[in-house]
């Protein structure tokens, strides 16, 4: 079995406008780095459309229709100050969620060992009823619920190392003890959630807010001493990673100081748990990461680790 790369050109066409940090160049930078010789053995597939029924496992129809009905024919539509729809945003959002669905199917069926889903717009800030933080639909939550519905998976975990707390995923998972969410993120930063005391209905939420300007030592301590033991204790049948790379020291969107090696290490930690507990079933989904050189380097190291572990 190989590592699966899921993407689609439509995810580049989502364009929130000049100077917006969540730009099409993010995915172009990732695609360029993954065209290199080191990645020749990746199995590559295009993301399909998610269906409305698959979206509706997570989001109410009112939210789905609000997003898709407000996609403009020209120009842009502001969902909020930072979350913007362009004429191709609906197609991109449907492909982004659909890419996670496909990755779940390929990994759960045993066709692929693990997967990296290189799509945009990202998803982890999207609440049940609300698009926010550049996110329209909650891609990882949609994947988790699909794993349950299609494959009978009981326990699904999401590990989120984006520099911003995945408030949407946390809220969607909060009341279900068979869904687990763990996050490392910069403390007191957007979206101003993710306090240590936010623990879910049955300690199924683990938050590790990191002080501003923390480096890899602080990140590794929190990840190794809190996230990994909790993940092991939860014993998931499937692990999804909300793989944001904006905690890198070069990223302008926040103020943590991680290096590429820290993301490689975190990937290996998750893969070790997956190998012991859930037959190495890991699906990584792109979230943030806005400095293009750092983003490409982090993704390169992350995907190589998925391939080699």
């Amino acid at each position: 079995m190989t590592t699966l790369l899921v993407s689609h050109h439509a995810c580049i066409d989502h364009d929130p406008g000049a100077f917006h940090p969540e730009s099409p160049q993010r995915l172009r930078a990732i695609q360029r780095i993954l065209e290199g010789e080191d990645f020749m053995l990746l199995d590559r597939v295009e993301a399909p459309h998610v269906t409305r029924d698959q979206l509706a496992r997570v989001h109410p129809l009112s939210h789905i229709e609000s997003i898709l009905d407000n996609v403009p024919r020209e120009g842009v539509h502001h969902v909020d100050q930072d979350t913007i729809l362009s004429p191709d945003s609906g197609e991109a959002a449907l492909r982004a969620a659909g890419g996670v669905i496909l990755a779940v199917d390929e990994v759960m069926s045993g066709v692929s060992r693990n997967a990296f889903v290189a799509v945009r717009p990202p998803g982890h800030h999207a609440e049940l009823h609300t698009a926010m933080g550049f996110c329209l639909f909650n891609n990882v939550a949609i994947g988790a619920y699909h794993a349950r519905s299609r494959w009978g998976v009981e326990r699904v975990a999401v590990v989120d190392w984006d520099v911003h707390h995945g408030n949407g995923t946390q809220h969607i998972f909060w009341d279900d003890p068979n869904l687990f969410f763990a996050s490392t993120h910069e403390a007191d930063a957007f979206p101003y959630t993710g306090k240590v005391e936010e623990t879910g209905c049955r300690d199924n939420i683990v938050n590790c807010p990191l002080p501003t300007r923390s480096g890899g030592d602080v990140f590794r301590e929190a990840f190794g001493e809190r996230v990994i033991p909790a993940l092991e204790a939860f014993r998931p049948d499937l692990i999804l990673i909300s793989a944001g790379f904006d905690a890198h020291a070069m990223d302008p969107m926040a103020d943590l100081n991680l290096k590429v090696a820290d993301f490689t290490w975190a990937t290996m930690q998750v893969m070790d748990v997956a190998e012991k507990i859930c037959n190495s079933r890991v699906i990584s989904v792109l979230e943030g990461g806005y400095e293009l050189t750092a983003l490409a380097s982090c993704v390169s190291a992350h995907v190589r680790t998925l391939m080699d572990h």
Side-chain angles (χ1 to χ4, degrees):
M1 292 188 294
T2 60
T3 295
L4 180 69
L5 173 63
V6 186
S7 194
H8 198 279
H9 63 84
C11 294
I12 294 177
D13 296 334
H14 164 61
D15 188 359
F19 310 113
H20 195 286
E22 208 291 283
S23 82
Q25 297 302 325
R26 300 179 61 234
L27 199 50
R28 290 192 177 103
I30 289 170
Q31 289 179 341
R32 282 194 296 270
I33 201 76
L34 296 183
E35 288 170 357
E37 186 175 352
D38 288 350
F39 303 101
M40 289 177 60
L41 296 180
L42 279 175
D43 188 9
R44 301 165 191 261
V45 296
E46 289 195 333
H49 281 142
V50 68
T51 68
R52 298 241 179 166
D53 287 345
Q54 289 165 344
L55 288 173
R57 293 179 186 137
V58 172
H59 297 289
L61 285 174
S62 58
H63 173 69
I64 298 167
E65 292 169 355
S66 175
I67 295 299
L68 298 179
D69 291 350
N70 280 297
V71 172
R73 293 189 177 185
E74 58 183 25
V76 296
H77 172 82
H78 284 255
V79 177
D80 60 30
Q81 182 176 354
D82 298 318
T83 309
I84 299 168
L85 300 173
S86 71
D88 296 303
S89 297
E91 176 77 4
L94 294 174
R95 298 282 185 181
V100 183
I101 296 280
L102 175 62
V104 168
D105 288 343
E106 295 294 291
V107 169
M108 291 306 304
S109 68
V111 173
S112 300
R113 183 174 68 251
N114 53 50
F116 180 64
V117 187
V119 291
R120 51 182 292 277
H124 71 153
H125 294 310
E127 303 271 3
L128 285 169
H129 301 271
T130 309
M132 62 177 289
F134 314 158
C135 302
L136 303 179
F137 302 128
N138 196 299
N139 302 321
V140 291
I142 291 162
Y145 275 81
H146 177 70
R148 283 181 151 185
S149 177
R150 171 68 178 82
W151 295 97
V153 171
E154 182 180 2
R155 301 169 72 80
V156 183
V158 170
V159 176
D160 187 332
W161 60 58
D162 191 282
V163 79
H164 303 105
H165 180 246
N167 56 294
T169 313
Q170 172 173 294
H171 291 163
I172 292 165
F173 282 20
W174 186 276
D175 290 323
D176 191 327
N178 289 320
L179 295 174
F180 172 91
F181 175 73
S183 175
T184 59
H185 50 273
E186 184 177 354
D188 302 317
F190 179 88
Y192 308 103
T193 54
K195 305 295 190 292
V196 171
E197 57 269 24
E198 297 170 18
T199 57
C201 66
R202 201 175 297 173
D203 294 329
N204 56 314
I205 305 293
V206 177
N207 282 307
C208 302
L210 307 178
T212 297
R213 292 182 291 280
S214 293
D217 55 341
V218 177
F219 167 74
R220 293 191 191 208
E221 180 180 6
F223 201 86
E225 295 185 6
R226 294 197 59 219
V227 172
I228 292 300
L231 181 64
E232 289 179 327
F234 180 73
R235 298 196 65 81
D237 302 303
L238 173 68
I239 301 172
L240 294 104
I241 301 173
S242 273
F245 298 101
D246 39 4
H248 190 279
M250 291 173 59
D251 199 286
M253 292 291 286
D255 199 8
L256 293 184
N257 292 312
L258 272 59
K259 306 295 186 185
V260 171
D262 297 312
F263 294 107
T264 301
W265 175 85
T267 306
M268 293 177 64
Q269 297 298 304
V270 173
M271 294 296 295
D272 284 344
V273 175
E275 186 175 19
K276 289 186 292 185
I277 292 174
C278 59
N279 198 29
S280 297
R281 290 191 290 264
V282 172
I283 296 163
S284 177
V285 183
L286 181 67
E287 299 285 2
Y290 305 98
E291 203 289 322
L292 299 182
T293 300
L295 174 63
S297 296
C298 289
V299 168
S300 174
H302 176 62
V303 173
R304 190 178 297 111
T305 305
L306 292 175
M307 295 172 67
D308 294 344
H309 195 282

